[in-house]
């Protein structure tokens, strides 16, 4: 019995020793995790660093990946396909796809022909130039573009912008030949700008116009365009050239007694009602998408026939009169490459080209997302630029992606860019055979078509959503809208750019900072405002900086952290708690830091030393930790004051509670 009891006692002691050993081992493992230090990446030489930066900035999509490990002949084929995507998807083209493209092409052609005539008038150009711009550019884009759904041609906003800026330099009536040459020059440099941005892979520059600013600008431009069409809708002959709403309304009311033509008003209002009703039908039922698409052409045919049989032009109804017959004549020798108008053409072309590019990029991405395919932004810019360069040499003015036509193209079931080729062929037939029939087309119809087309640019739902999401974005939206409506298209655009840049500067110079607390039952530290249940650690202030620390915000970051510290010290005194002994900066969101940022940290460290507070850093990224070591700041505060996580940093400041917690955790694990 004694030997048995002695044996049992030995077993119990052995188990207790195993438990203590296991507990000790677990405590050791638990403690060992705090030995992990922040890794310093291997140093790169200047060339390697520069190469990596350039590659990530300009070649983030790795465009040369398909060429890797390919024979020379295959590389030549891939390069040709990269320039002309039609050679790639054309190999799998089928009759089924052509049927979809044929229907879509005919549908958008019926929409584009009356629109082109009206948009040309917006740019103060003769009607045929609008048709020219829907013949050559779509052909070029079909071979070089990567979007399957964009329908190319003149658009209302760019036409208005171009007409406004050109007319500020030359009178379109008294200096008609020079005005036309300046339009071609602006188109040429718009194309050069677009192609250059794509070739140099600088597409990210157009992203500086925020979505909110574009919504506001487009809405303001829609109102401005509609106001300009009041002249044609009411039959007013003497109308202001200013585009702001006040000048337009003054001009409208000053012509009430003798300037309005009732026959024109009847024609214009009747067909505008018809167009809006057709649009309503198309929105209510997607199966009837073709109704608003062919409604403009039906309106043109009916109104032209009505004016022809009644001779309404003799009663004051203004008509289109003559449209040049035949396809695009060459305009190479009409572009200004020297002289005083060269710089003016360049300036107008750059601005109009950027706006056209922004609109096309937004349209292309929208429809590509709906069909779940990718478009290459840089290829798109090269394609758009090339088509406008060629267009400027073939009597076209700036063309881009049209939202209304692209939407119809999409709903009509287009499969590829061949729909643009079909549309171009229909425009070619129109220029060769049908233009004389537009002689009696009333201007009121063109005004009605343009008003119904730009109505879709007023996106109230987007504006309401912007208000709900971001009030500063809404300010940018309304600033662009009001600037366009009450001043001019250029001022509205300028306001949009200024507010967009102001937002960027505000976010860069005033980054967000937050105080972190520990979530109960975890070692996770989060913003105490977002998580009210998170508790502060006694004697420790944990601050997170949500931005890179640069010269533009380094002083603010230092001062903001010191203000957080001051507020915390006042609260600690009021509640008779432990004084702050440690300041932990969570640096996970700090993607980069420059010399000004490091200098700010040095000043912060010096200020904290005077208060007997230790500065501790948690989880600096690879770029940041490398610069901290290079600047000797890591040695200044001590390598042992830089930790992998906030939990590690807290445990180093208060080891006893953490150790006890580790023992409890070990016991729970064993149990």
């Amino acid at each position: 019995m004694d030997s048995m009891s002695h044996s049992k006692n030995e077993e119990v002691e052995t188990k207790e020793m195993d438990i203590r050993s296991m507990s000790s081992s677990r405590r050791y493992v638990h403690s060992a995790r705090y030995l992990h230090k922040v890794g310093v990446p291997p140093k790169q030489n200047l060339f390697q660093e520069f190469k990596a930066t350039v590659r990530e900035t300009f070649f983030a999509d790795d465009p040369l990946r398909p060429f890797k490990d390919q024979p020379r002949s295959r590389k030549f084929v891939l390069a040709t396909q990269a320039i002309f995507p039609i050679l790639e998807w054309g190999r799998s083209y089928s009759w089924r796809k052509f049927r979809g493209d044929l229907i879509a092409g005919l549908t958008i052609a019926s929409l584009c022909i009356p629109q082109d005539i009206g948009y040309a008038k917006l740019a103060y150009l003769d009607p045929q130039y609008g048709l020219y711009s829907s013949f050559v550019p779509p052909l070029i884009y079909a071979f070089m573009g990567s979007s399957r759904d964009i329908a190319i041609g003149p658009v209302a906003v760019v036409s208005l912008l171009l007409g406004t800026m050109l007319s500020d330099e030359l009178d379109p009536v008294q200096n008609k030949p020079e005005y036309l040459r300046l339009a071609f020059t602006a188109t040429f440099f718009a194309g050069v700008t677009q192609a250059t941005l794509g070739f140099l892979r600088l597409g990210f520059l157009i992203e500086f116009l925020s979505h909110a600013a574009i919504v506001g600008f487009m809405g303001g431009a829609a109102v401005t365009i509609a106001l300009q069409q009041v002249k044609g809708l009411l039959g007013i002959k003497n109308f202001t050239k200013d585009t702001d709403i006040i000048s337009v309304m003054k001009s409208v009311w000053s012509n009430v007694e003798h300037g309005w033509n009732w026959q024109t008003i009847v024609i214009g209002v009747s067909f505008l009602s018809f167009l809006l009703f057709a649009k309503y039908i198309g929105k209510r039922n997607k199966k009837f998408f073709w109704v608003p698409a062919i409604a403009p052409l039906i309106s043109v045919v009916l109104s032209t026939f009505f004016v022809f049989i009644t001779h309404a032009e003799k009663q004051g109804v203004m008509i289109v009169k003559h449209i040049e017959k035949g396809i695009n004549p060459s305009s190479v020798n009409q572009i200004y490459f020297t002289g005083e108008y060269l710089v003016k053409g360049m300036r107008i072309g750059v601005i109009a080209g950027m706006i056209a590019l922004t609109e096309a990029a937004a349209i292309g991405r929208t429809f590509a997302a709906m069909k779940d395919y990718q478009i290459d932004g840089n290829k798109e810019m090269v394609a758009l630029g090339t088509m406008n360069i060629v267009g400027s040499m073939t009597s076209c003015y700036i063309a881009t992606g049209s939202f209304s036509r692209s939407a119809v193209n999409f709903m009509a079931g287009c499969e590829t860019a061949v729909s643009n080729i079909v549309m171009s062929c229909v425009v070619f037939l129109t220029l060769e055979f049908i233009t004389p029939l537009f002689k009696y087309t009333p201007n009121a119809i063109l005004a009605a078509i343009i008003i119904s087309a730009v109505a879709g640019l007023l996106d109230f739902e987007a504006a309401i959503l912007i208000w709900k999401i971001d009030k500063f974005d809404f300010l940018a939206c309304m600033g662009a809208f009001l600037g366009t409506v009450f001043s001019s298209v250029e001022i509205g655009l300028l306001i949009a750019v200024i507010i967009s840049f102001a937002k960027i500067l505000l976010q860069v110079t005033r980054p967000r900072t937050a105080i972190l607390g520990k979530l109960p039952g975890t070692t996770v530290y989060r913003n105490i405002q977002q998580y009210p249940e998170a508790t502060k650690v006694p004697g420790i202030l944990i601050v997170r900086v949500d931005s890179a620390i640069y010269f533009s915000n380094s002083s603010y970051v230092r001062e903001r952290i010191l203000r957080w510290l001051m507020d915390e010290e006042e609260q600690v005194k009021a509640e008779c708690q432990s004084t702050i002994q440690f300041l932990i900066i969570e640096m996970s969101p700090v993607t980069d830091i420059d010399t000004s940022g490091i200098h700010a940290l040095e000043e912060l460290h010096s200020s904290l030393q005077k208060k007997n507070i230790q500065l501790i850093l948690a989880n600096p990224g690879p770029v940041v930790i490398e610069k901290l070591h290079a600047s000797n700041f890591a040695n200044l505060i001590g390598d042992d004051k830089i930790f992998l996580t906030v939990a590690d940093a807290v445990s180093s400041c208060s080891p006893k509670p953490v150790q006890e917690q580790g023992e409890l955790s070990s016991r729970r694990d064993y149990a």
Side-chain angles (χ1 to χ4, degrees), residues 204-354:
F204 58 86
L205 292 177
I206 64 173
E207 304 295 339
F208 281 103
L209 262 180
S210 67
H211 171 70
I214 292 173
V215 168
F217 172 71
M218 289 294 186
V223 172
T224 302
I225 292 166
L227 289 172
Q228 289 291 302
Q229 300 314 303
V230 173
K231 172 187 177 182
L233 207 62
L234 301 179
I236 300 173
K237 293 182 179 179
N238 299 316
F239 200 70
T240 180
K241 290 185 178 180
D242 296 325
T243 59
D244 63 285
I245 188 170
I246 296 173
S247 299
V248 170
M249 296 314 295
K250 280 183 179 178
S251 184
V252 168
W253 293 115
S254 64
N255 285 281
V256 170
E257 294 183 5
H258 304 290
W260 293 18
N261 181 274
W262 71 266
Q263 293 96 332
T264 302
I265 295 172
V266 170
I267 295 172
V269 172
S270 300
F271 282 100
L272 177 59
S273 302
F274 168 69
L275 290 167
L276 293 176
F277 180 68
K279 215 166 194 180
Y280 172 76
I281 291 174
K283 280 187 177 181
R284 282 295 300 270
N285 192 332
K286 298 297 183 184
K287 292 181 180 179
F288 296 116
F289 69 89
W290 52 271
V291 174
I294 66 169
L297 190 60
I298 292 173
S299 300
V300 168
V301 172
L302 292 178
S303 62
T304 302
F305 180 71
F306 175 77
V307 171
F308 175 73
I309 61 173
T310 61
H311 289 287
E313 77 278 5
K314 295 179 181 179
Q315 304 299 319
V317 175
M318 290 183 285
I319 57 175
V320 172
K321 294 181 181 177
H322 180 65
I323 298 180
E324 285 284 344
K325 187 179 177 182
I327 60 172
N328 309 34
S330 173
S331 56
V332 176
N333 59 346
Q334 295 190 54
I335 299 172
Y336 286 113
F337 291 109
T338 57
E340 59 176 315
Y341 293 118
L342 172 62
V343 176
K344 294 176 181 178
M346 288 177 64
R347 178 179 60 83
I348 296 169
V350 169
I351 296 172
M354 292 290 281

Side-chain angles (χ1 to χ4, degrees), residues 12 15 42 72 127 155 220 245 303 331 418 473 476 586 604 622:
V12 169
K15 285 183 178 179
R72 185 174 296 179
V155 296
I245 188 170
S303 62
S331 56
V418 170
D473 264 358
E586 157 69 304
L604 177 64

Side-chain angles (χ1 to χ4, degrees), residues 432-652:
E432 282 290 351
F433 305 108
I434 305 176
T435 49
L437 300 180
F438 290 107
K439 178 180 179 181
Y440 289 97
T441 301
N443 289 341
I445 281 300
L446 302 178
I449 290 170
I450 292 173
I451 291 173
S452 66
V454 300
L457 296 177
L458 281 167
D459 198 340
F460 295 106
E461 291 180 2
I464 293 169
L465 184 61
I466 290 168
W467 167 260
K468 291 178 180 178
I469 295 173
D470 192 321
K471 301 300 184 288
F472 195 94
D473 264 358
F474 184 76
L475 178 64
C477 178
M478 292 309 298
F481 176 81
L482 296 174
T484 304
V485 170
F486 285 97
S487 184
S488 65
V489 177
E490 299 102 304
I491 296 297
L493 182 60
L494 181 63
I495 291 173
V497 172
I498 289 173
I499 294 178
S500 296
F501 270 99
K503 183 181 180 182
I504 294 171
L505 289 174
L506 187 64
Q507 291 177 339
V508 170
T509 58
R510 294 294 182 267
R512 297 183 186 276
T513 57
I515 293 181
L516 306 186
K518 181 173 176 290
L519 293 176
T522 70
T523 57
V524 177
Y525 292 80
R526 290 291 182 265
N527 187 343
I528 59 174
Q529 290 184 343
Q530 185 179 1
Y531 300 91
E533 68 273 18
T535 57
K536 298 177 185 176
V537 181
I540 302 174
L541 176 64
I542 308 170
V543 178
R544 187 182 68 215
V545 180
D546 292 336
S547 168
I549 304 176
Y550 290 128
F551 66 92
S552 57
N553 62 22
S554 57
S555 296
Y556 170 79
V557 169
R558 174 178 55 81
E559 292 168 3
R560 189 69 189 91
I561 291 174
L562 289 174
R563 283 204 305 275
W564 280 126
L565 183 61
M566 192 183 304
D567 294 342
E568 195 68 17
E569 286 177 334
E570 290 176 359
Q571 187 176 347
V572 162
K573 285 181 182 179
E575 297 176 359
C576 300
Q577 296 178 351
S578 304
T579 58
I580 302 297
Q581 297 177 327
F582 301 94
L583 172 67
I584 300 173
I585 302 180
E586 157 69 304
M587 301 191 74
S588 299
V590 181
T591 55
D592 201 355
I593 191 168
D594 65 1
T595 51
S596 298
I598 292 172
H599 185 62
L601 289 180
E602 290 172 348
E603 291 179 346
L604 177 64
H605 176 61
S606 178
S607 300
L608 294 175
Q609 279 186 321
K610 294 174 184 177
K611 297 174 179 286
N612 292 321
I613 298 173
Q614 291 188 42
L615 175 63
I616 296 176
L617 305 181
N619 196 26
V623 176
V624 175
I625 191 65
E626 184 181 359
K627 292 183 179 180
L628 292 179
H629 278 279
S631 65
N632 209 38
F633 181 76
N635 294 331
L636 177 66
I637 64 170
D639 232 3
D640 58 337
K641 298 294 188 294
I642 303 176
F643 294 90
L644 190 62
T645 65
V646 175
D648 291 353
V650 170
S651 69
S652 72

